[in-house]
Each structure stands twice: as structure tokens, then as C-alpha cells.
PDB file of all heavy atoms in Angstrom:
ATOM      1  N   VAL A1028       9.302   0.828  -1.310  1.00 93.00           N
ATOM      2  CA  VAL A1028      10.080   2.072  -1.507  1.00 93.00           C
ATOM      3  C   VAL A1028       9.760   2.647  -2.873  1.00 93.00           C
ATOM      4  O   VAL A1028       9.844   1.937  -3.878  1.00 93.00           O
ATOM      5  CB  VAL A1028      11.605   1.808  -1.393  1.00 93.00           C
ATOM      6  CG1 VAL A1028      12.360   3.095  -1.562  1.00 93.00           C
ATOM      7  CG2 VAL A1028      11.899   1.178  -0.051  1.00 93.00           C
ATOM      8  N   GLY A1029       9.402   3.932  -2.906  1.00 90.00           N
ATOM      9  CA  GLY A1029       9.135   4.594  -4.172  1.00 90.00           C
ATOM     10  C   GLY A1029       8.178   5.772  -4.041  1.00 90.00           C
ATOM     11  O   GLY A1029       7.826   6.165  -2.943  1.00 90.00           O
ATOM     12  N   PRO A1030       7.762   6.358  -5.158  1.00 89.00           N
ATOM     13  CA  PRO A1030       6.841   7.496  -5.163  1.00 89.00           C
ATOM     14  C   PRO A1030       5.515   7.129  -4.472  1.00 89.00           C
ATOM     15  O   PRO A1030       5.014   6.017  -4.582  1.00 89.00           O
ATOM     16  CB  PRO A1030       6.613   7.759  -6.678  1.00 89.00           C
ATOM     17  CG  PRO A1030       7.820   7.196  -7.337  1.00 89.00           C
ATOM     18  CD  PRO A1030       8.212   6.006  -6.542  1.00 89.00           C
ATOM     19  N   ALA A1031       4.981   8.128  -3.719  1.00 87.00           N
ATOM     20  CA  ALA A1031       3.798   7.864  -2.861  1.00 87.00           C
ATOM     21  C   ALA A1031       2.605   7.315  -3.632  1.00 87.00           C
ATOM     22  O   ALA A1031       1.961   6.315  -3.176  1.00 87.00           O
ATOM     23  CB  ALA A1031       3.438   9.138  -2.161  1.00 87.00           C
ATOM     24  N   LEU A1032       2.249   7.887  -4.757  1.00 88.00           N
ATOM     25  CA  LEU A1032       1.059   7.450  -5.483  1.00 88.00           C
ATOM     26  C   LEU A1032       1.179   6.043  -5.988  1.00 88.00           C
ATOM     27  O   LEU A1032       0.274   5.249  -5.876  1.00 88.00           O
ATOM     28  CB  LEU A1032       0.772   8.411  -6.650  1.00 88.00           C
ATOM     29  CG  LEU A1032      -0.512   8.151  -7.422  1.00 88.00           C
ATOM     30  CD1 LEU A1032      -1.731   8.213  -6.493  1.00 88.00           C
ATOM     31  CD2 LEU A1032      -0.662   9.144  -8.558  1.00 88.00           C
ATOM     32  N   GLU A1033       2.352   5.714  -6.552  1.00 89.00           N
ATOM     33  CA  GLU A1033       2.578   4.358  -7.083  1.00 89.00           C
ATOM     34  C   GLU A1033       2.626   3.350  -5.918  1.00 89.00           C
ATOM     35  O   GLU A1033       2.127   2.214  -6.045  1.00 89.00           O
ATOM     36  CB  GLU A1033       3.876   4.335  -7.880  1.00 89.00           C
ATOM     37  CG  GLU A1033       3.825   5.179  -9.116  1.00 89.00           C
ATOM     38  CD  GLU A1033       5.140   5.134  -9.880  1.00 89.00           C
ATOM     39  OE1 GLU A1033       5.793   4.132  -9.897  1.00 89.00           O
ATOM     40  OE2 GLU A1033       5.482   6.216 -10.439  1.00 89.00           O
ATOM     41  N   LYS A1034       3.267   3.738  -4.796  1.00 92.00           N
ATOM     42  CA  LYS A1034       3.302   2.838  -3.644  1.00 92.00           C
ATOM     43  C   LYS A1034       1.881   2.543  -3.157  1.00 92.00           C
ATOM     44  O   LYS A1034       1.575   1.403  -2.783  1.00 92.00           O
ATOM     45  CB  LYS A1034       4.090   3.475  -2.499  1.00 92.00           C
ATOM     46  CG  LYS A1034       5.569   3.390  -2.610  1.00 92.00           C
ATOM     47  CD  LYS A1034       6.273   3.701  -1.314  1.00 92.00           C
ATOM     48  CE  LYS A1034       5.980   5.105  -0.789  1.00 92.00           C
ATOM     49  NZ  LYS A1034       6.752   5.399   0.381  1.00 92.00           N
ATOM     50  N   GLU A1035       1.033   3.570  -3.108  1.00 92.00           N
ATOM     51  CA  GLU A1035      -0.325   3.387  -2.601  1.00 92.00           C
ATOM     52  C   GLU A1035      -1.073   2.357  -3.423  1.00 92.00           C
ATOM     53  O   GLU A1035      -1.764   1.511  -2.862  1.00 92.00           O
ATOM     54  CB  GLU A1035      -1.050   4.716  -2.622  1.00 92.00           C
ATOM     55  CG  GLU A1035      -2.455   4.644  -2.052  1.00 92.00           C
ATOM     56  CD  GLU A1035      -3.200   5.963  -2.015  1.00 92.00           C
ATOM     57  OE1 GLU A1035      -2.624   6.935  -2.515  1.00 92.00           O
ATOM     58  OE2 GLU A1035      -4.319   6.029  -1.503  1.00 92.00           O
ATOM     59  N   LYS A1036      -0.953   2.430  -4.741  1.00 92.00           N
ATOM     60  CA  LYS A1036      -1.664   1.486  -5.598  1.00 92.00           C
ATOM     61  C   LYS A1036      -1.225   0.047  -5.338  1.00 92.00           C
ATOM     62  O   LYS A1036      -2.076  -0.864  -5.187  1.00 92.00           O
ATOM     63  CB  LYS A1036      -1.440   1.820  -7.070  1.00 92.00           C
ATOM     64  CG  LYS A1036      -2.070   3.162  -7.527  1.00 92.00           C
ATOM     65  CD  LYS A1036      -1.760   3.432  -8.996  1.00 92.00           C
ATOM     66  CE  LYS A1036      -2.356   4.744  -9.428  1.00 92.00           C
ATOM     67  NZ  LYS A1036      -2.012   5.061 -10.837  1.00 92.00           N
ATOM     68  N   ILE A1037       0.084  -0.118  -5.234  1.00 95.00           N
ATOM     69  CA  ILE A1037       0.558  -1.506  -5.002  1.00 95.00           C
ATOM     70  C   ILE A1037       0.247  -1.987  -3.587  1.00 95.00           C
ATOM     71  O   ILE A1037      -0.208  -3.142  -3.401  1.00 95.00           O
ATOM     72  CB  ILE A1037       2.092  -1.529  -5.225  1.00 95.00           C
ATOM     73  CG1 ILE A1037       2.400  -1.450  -6.738  1.00 95.00           C
ATOM     74  CG2 ILE A1037       2.722  -2.843  -4.688  1.00 95.00           C
ATOM     75  CD1 ILE A1037       3.855  -1.408  -7.127  1.00 95.00           C
ATOM     76  N   CYS A1038       0.395  -1.100  -2.578  1.00 95.00           N
ATOM     77  CA  CYS A1038       0.106  -1.513  -1.192  1.00 95.00           C
ATOM     78  C   CYS A1038      -1.362  -1.820  -1.002  1.00 95.00           C
ATOM     79  O   CYS A1038      -1.671  -2.823  -0.349  1.00 95.00           O
ATOM     80  CB  CYS A1038       0.551  -0.408  -0.254  1.00 95.00           C
ATOM     81  SG  CYS A1038       2.372  -0.282  -0.090  1.00 95.00           S
ATOM     82  N   LYS A1039      -2.254  -1.058  -1.529  1.00 94.00           N
ATOM     83  CA  LYS A1039      -3.651  -1.331  -1.385  1.00 94.00           C
ATOM     84  C   LYS A1039      -4.071  -2.628  -2.088  1.00 94.00           C
ATOM     85  O   LYS A1039      -4.880  -3.386  -1.607  1.00 94.00           O
ATOM     86  CB  LYS A1039      -4.485  -0.178  -1.965  1.00 94.00           C
ATOM     87  CG  LYS A1039      -4.348   1.159  -1.188  1.00 94.00           C
ATOM     88  CD  LYS A1039      -4.840   1.007   0.225  1.00 94.00           C
ATOM     89  CE  LYS A1039      -4.756   2.337   0.978  1.00 94.00           C
ATOM     90  NZ  LYS A1039      -5.118   2.197   2.432  1.00 94.00           N
ATOM     91  N   GLY A1040      -3.410  -2.874  -3.226  1.00 95.00           N
ATOM     92  CA  GLY A1040      -3.665  -4.157  -3.933  1.00 95.00           C
ATOM     93  C   GLY A1040      -3.182  -5.333  -3.110  1.00 95.00           C
ATOM     94  O   GLY A1040      -3.870  -6.338  -2.989  1.00 95.00           O
ATOM     95  N   LEU A1041      -2.001  -5.221  -2.517  1.00 95.00           N
ATOM     96  CA  LEU A1041      -1.453  -6.303  -1.681  1.00 95.00           C
ATOM     97  C   LEU A1041      -2.299  -6.474  -0.420  1.00 95.00           C
ATOM     98  O   LEU A1041      -2.545  -7.590   0.020  1.00 95.00           O
ATOM     99  CB  LEU A1041       0.008  -6.017  -1.327  1.00 95.00           C
ATOM    100  CG  LEU A1041       0.994  -6.111  -2.460  1.00 95.00           C
ATOM    101  CD1 LEU A1041       2.387  -5.657  -2.024  1.00 95.00           C
ATOM    102  CD2 LEU A1041       1.058  -7.549  -2.995  1.00 95.00           C
ATOM    103  N   GLU A1042      -2.766  -5.359   0.130  1.00 94.00           N
ATOM    104  CA  GLU A1042      -3.599  -5.441   1.340  1.00 94.00           C
ATOM    105  C   GLU A1042      -4.874  -6.205   1.066  1.00 94.00           C
ATOM    106  O   GLU A1042      -5.341  -7.007   1.897  1.00 94.00           O
ATOM    107  CB  GLU A1042      -3.956  -4.022   1.840  1.00 94.00           C
ATOM    108  CG  GLU A1042      -4.733  -3.997   3.156  1.00 94.00           C
ATOM    109  CD  GLU A1042      -5.034  -2.601   3.598  1.00 94.00           C
ATOM    110  OE1 GLU A1042      -5.256  -1.686   2.727  1.00 94.00           O
ATOM    111  OE2 GLU A1042      -5.141  -2.399   4.832  1.00 94.00           O
ATOM    112  N   ARG A1043      -5.434  -6.046  -0.121  1.00 92.00           N
ATOM    113  CA  ARG A1043      -6.685  -6.756  -0.471  1.00 92.00           C
ATOM    114  C   ARG A1043      -6.452  -8.259  -0.590  1.00 92.00           C
ATOM    115  O   ARG A1043      -7.387  -9.064  -0.453  1.00 92.00           O
ATOM    116  CB  ARG A1043      -7.264  -6.234  -1.784  1.00 92.00           C
ATOM    117  CG  ARG A1043      -7.928  -4.875  -1.666  1.00 92.00           C
ATOM    118  CD  ARG A1043      -8.712  -4.547  -2.918  1.00 92.00           C
ATOM    119  NE  ARG A1043      -7.884  -4.390  -4.066  1.00 92.00           N
ATOM    120  CZ  ARG A1043      -7.362  -3.205  -4.464  1.00 92.00           C
ATOM    121  NH1 ARG A1043      -7.567  -2.121  -3.741  1.00 92.00           N
ATOM    122  NH2 ARG A1043      -6.604  -3.161  -5.541  1.00 92.00           N
ATOM    123  N   THR A1044      -5.200  -8.666  -0.791  1.00 91.00           N
ATOM    124  CA  THR A1044      -4.907 -10.079  -0.912  1.00 91.00           C
ATOM    125  C   THR A1044      -4.429 -10.683   0.422  1.00 91.00           C
ATOM    126  O   THR A1044      -4.004 -11.848   0.460  1.00 91.00           O
ATOM    127  CB  THR A1044      -3.864 -10.379  -1.995  1.00 91.00           C
ATOM    128  OG1 THR A1044      -2.600  -9.724  -1.610  1.00 91.00           O
ATOM    129  CG2 THR A1044      -4.284  -9.794  -3.321  1.00 91.00           C
ATOM    130  N   GLY A1045      -4.456  -9.891   1.505  1.00 91.00           N
ATOM    131  CA  GLY A1045      -4.172 -10.454   2.807  1.00 91.00           C
ATOM    132  C   GLY A1045      -2.992  -9.885   3.551  1.00 91.00           C
ATOM    133  O   GLY A1045      -2.790 -10.208   4.762  1.00 91.00           O
ATOM    134  N   TYR A1046      -2.148  -9.051   2.930  1.00 94.00           N
ATOM    135  CA  TYR A1046      -1.010  -8.470   3.609  1.00 94.00           C
ATOM    136  C   TYR A1046      -1.514  -7.385   4.590  1.00 94.00           C
ATOM    137  O   TYR A1046      -2.535  -6.744   4.374  1.00 94.00           O
ATOM    138  CB  TYR A1046      -0.038  -7.841   2.634  1.00 94.00           C
ATOM    139  CG  TYR A1046       0.668  -8.840   1.762  1.00 94.00           C
ATOM    140  CD1 TYR A1046       0.050  -9.350   0.568  1.00 94.00           C
ATOM    141  CD2 TYR A1046       1.900  -9.346   2.072  1.00 94.00           C
ATOM    142  CE1 TYR A1046       0.657 -10.289  -0.217  1.00 94.00           C
ATOM    143  CE2 TYR A1046       2.532 -10.308   1.283  1.00 94.00           C
ATOM    144  CZ  TYR A1046       1.892 -10.765   0.119  1.00 94.00           C
ATOM    145  OH  TYR A1046       2.486 -11.712  -0.653  1.00 94.00           O
ATOM    146  N   VAL A1047      -0.756  -7.179   5.700  1.00 94.00           N
ATOM    147  CA  VAL A1047      -1.158  -6.192   6.690  1.00 94.00           C
ATOM    148  C   VAL A1047      -0.412  -4.891   6.406  1.00 94.00           C
ATOM    149  O   VAL A1047       0.842  -4.817   6.569  1.00 94.00           O
ATOM    150  CB  VAL A1047      -0.796  -6.691   8.125  1.00 94.00           C
ATOM    151  CG1 VAL A1047      -1.212  -5.645   9.156  1.00 94.00           C
ATOM    152  CG2 VAL A1047      -1.492  -8.007   8.406  1.00 94.00           C
ATOM    153  N   LEU A1048      -1.152  -3.897   5.956  1.00 95.00           N
ATOM    154  CA  LEU A1048      -0.524  -2.593   5.628  1.00 95.00           C
ATOM    155  C   LEU A1048      -0.472  -1.682   6.827  1.00 95.00           C
ATOM    156  O   LEU A1048      -1.473  -1.416   7.495  1.00 95.00           O
ATOM    157  CB  LEU A1048      -1.364  -1.892   4.502  1.00 95.00           C
ATOM    158  CG  LEU A1048      -0.906  -0.523   4.052  1.00 95.00           C
ATOM    159  CD1 LEU A1048       0.546  -0.573   3.526  1.00 95.00           C
ATOM    160  CD2 LEU A1048      -1.886   0.006   3.017  1.00 95.00           C
ATOM    161  N   LEU A1049       0.753  -1.228   7.185  1.00 95.00           N
ATOM    162  CA  LEU A1049       0.957  -0.349   8.318  1.00 95.00           C
ATOM    163  C   LEU A1049       1.390   1.006   7.795  1.00 95.00           C
ATOM    164  O   LEU A1049       2.459   1.178   7.226  1.00 95.00           O
ATOM    165  CB  LEU A1049       2.042  -0.943   9.232  1.00 95.00           C
ATOM    166  CG  LEU A1049       1.776  -2.336   9.800  1.00 95.00           C
ATOM    167  CD1 LEU A1049       2.942  -2.806  10.628  1.00 95.00           C
ATOM    168  CD2 LEU A1049       0.471  -2.386  10.546  1.00 95.00           C
ATOM    169  N   GLU A1050       0.556   2.027   7.986  1.00 94.00           N
ATOM    170  CA  GLU A1050       0.836   3.374   7.552  1.00 94.00           C
ATOM    171  C   GLU A1050       0.783   4.330   8.731  1.00 94.00           C
ATOM    172  O   GLU A1050      -0.017   4.157   9.672  1.00 94.00           O
ATOM    173  CB  GLU A1050      -0.206   3.825   6.511  1.00 94.00           C
ATOM    174  CG  GLU A1050      -0.126   3.015   5.195  1.00 94.00           C
ATOM    175  CD  GLU A1050      -1.146   3.415   4.186  1.00 94.00           C
ATOM    176  OE1 GLU A1050      -2.356   3.463   4.577  1.00 94.00           O
ATOM    177  OE2 GLU A1050      -0.798   3.706   3.037  1.00 94.00           O
ATOM    178  N   THR A1051       1.603   5.389   8.679  1.00 92.00           N
ATOM    179  CA  THR A1051       1.759   6.280   9.821  1.00 92.00           C
ATOM    180  C   THR A1051       0.466   6.900  10.259  1.00 92.00           C
ATOM    181  O   THR A1051       0.096   6.827  11.476  1.00 92.00           O
ATOM    182  CB  THR A1051       2.766   7.407   9.442  1.00 92.00           C
ATOM    183  OG1 THR A1051       3.992   6.818   9.043  1.00 92.00           O
ATOM    184  CG2 THR A1051       2.998   8.307  10.622  1.00 92.00           C
ATOM    185  N   GLN A1052      -0.293   7.529   9.390  1.00 89.00           N
ATOM    186  CA  GLN A1052      -1.489   8.221   9.800  1.00 89.00           C
ATOM    187  C   GLN A1052      -2.537   7.265  10.385  1.00 89.00           C
ATOM    188  O   GLN A1052      -3.186   7.575  11.362  1.00 89.00           O
ATOM    189  CB  GLN A1052      -2.076   9.049   8.662  1.00 89.00           C
ATOM    190  CG  GLN A1052      -3.274   9.925   9.090  1.00 89.00           C
ATOM    191  CD  GLN A1052      -3.697  10.903   8.083  1.00 89.00           C
ATOM    192  OE1 GLN A1052      -2.893  11.303   7.176  1.00 89.00           O
ATOM    193  NE2 GLN A1052      -4.882  11.403   8.137  1.00 89.00           N
TER     194      GLN A1052
END
């Protein structure tokens, strides 16, 4: 939860370590 740009940086970083990122588009 948070501002889109900051969320994207954290989510992409977590995705690279194995988490499954689910985004609408």
C-alpha cells in the first residue's frame, strides 16, 4: 500500500527475489 512509483520499486525488487507480483494490467 502506498504511492505508485515507490510501490513499483519495492514490488519489482521483491519479484526478482521470487515473490509472485500480480498487477491489474
Side-chain angles (χ1 to χ4, degrees):
V1028 179
L1032 184 58
E1033 296 178 34
K1034 280 195 301 186
E1035 182 178 5
K1036 292 178 180 178
I1037 289 179
C1038 287
K1039 293 300 182 183
L1041 290 173
E1042 184 180 31
R1043 286 193 294 271
T1044 64
Y1046 293 84
V1047 181
L1048 178 58
L1049 303 178
E1050 296 178 308
T1051 304
Q1052 186 168 339

